[in-house]
Amino acid sequence: MAKPNKKMPERSVDIICAKCKTLLFKYKKGGKGALTKCWKERIVADYTTTPCQCPGCGSVFARETLVRGTPAFKVVGGKVTMK
């Protein structure tokens, strides 16, 4: 399988906790589909203190994993929203 595109997408989105509305990431998202994974190399600003855990409410919103050999966060469905 192919690796993610090295060129960053133009569109930047804010990833927010669905429970407490705390800002988690600023992320360069490609495409128009739902957010299922966040490539670590596309995260512009990280506002979390511990990986995959919301600093506001403490809920776990993702899992660290390797997808196609590249580090990523697999997002748990319904835990985050995009703006």
Side-chain angles (χ1 to χ4, degrees), residues 35-80:
L35 187 72
T36 56
K37 63 184 156 294
C38 292
W39 304 104
K40 287 187 180 180
E41 61 194 29
R42 289 188 182 179
I43 294 174
V44 179
D46 187 0
Y47 300 106
T48 60
T49 52
T50 57
C52 303
Q53 192 171 1
C54 175
C57 61
S59 66
V60 176
F61 64 88
R63 295 183 303 278
E64 286 189 79
T65 186
L66 285 176
V67 179
R68 300 183 220 146
T70 306
F73 292 125
K74 289 277 283 200
V75 177
V76 177
K79 295 282 186 166
V80 297

